[in-house]
Amino acid sequence: MTATRVVTTPYGRLVRGPLSFDDVEELELAAETPEQRRTAAARLVAWSEEPHPEDDAEVTPAMLLAHAGELLTTVGDHEAALDLYRRAAAAEGDVVPDVRCHLHHGL
C-alpha cells in the first residue's frame, strides 16, 4: 500500500505518499472488527485533511470522508457518520453515489 509511505519534504515536514483507489479499498477491506473499522475511518479522515497532488483523480477529500462515514455506519455510529457525510458534502471532489444520498439515508 503506497499510502503508508511517508516522505520528508526539503523543509523537514512529513507528508503521506499519493493514494490510489486501491489503497482506500485495501484499507476498508482489511478492517474486519468494529475497532479496526473505527481506526480505518479515522485514517480516511486524516487523509482527507491532507490531500496529495498525485492522489488518483477519484480519491478526493469528499470521497474519503464519505467512505469513512460508511465505515462508521457499519459499526452503528450513526451520529459520527452523519457528521462525516455533512463534511463530505462541503468538501472538495465528487462522491458516487452523491453524498446527499448517504445523508438522506442516515436521517
Side-chain angles (χ1 to χ4, degrees):
M1 178 190 284
T2 60
T4 58
R5 185 180 73 230
V6 177
V7 179
T8 304
T9 67
Y11 303 103
R13 185 170 184 273
L14 298 177
V15 297
R16 68 165 173 82
L19 289 171
S20 69
F21 184 80
D22 289 341
D23 293 326
V24 175
E25 193 171 64
E26 182 180 319
L27 176 70
E28 292 174 325
L29 292 174
E32 297 177 352
T33 68
E35 188 57 37
Q36 289 171 336
R37 289 180 180 173
R38 285 185 180 88
T39 300
R43 177 170 285 175
L44 291 172
V45 170
W47 287 345
S48 77
E49 295 168 349
E50 194 177 327
H52 191 286
E54 295 177 19
D55 286 343
D56 281 358
E58 67 268 17
V59 180
T60 64
M63 179 271 236
L64 294 167
L65 291 167
H67 282 241
E70 290 172 354
L71 284 169
L72 293 180
T73 297
T74 66
V75 297
D77 196 347
H78 301 289
E79 287 300 317
L82 277 173
D83 177 59
L84 291 175
Y85 294 144
R86 287 183 181 108
R87 288 176 58 187
E92 178 185 336
D94 296 323
V95 179
V96 177
D98 190 292
V99 72
R100 292 172 292 188
C101 295
H102 296 290
L103 276 169
H104 178 75
H105 180 71
L107 295 171

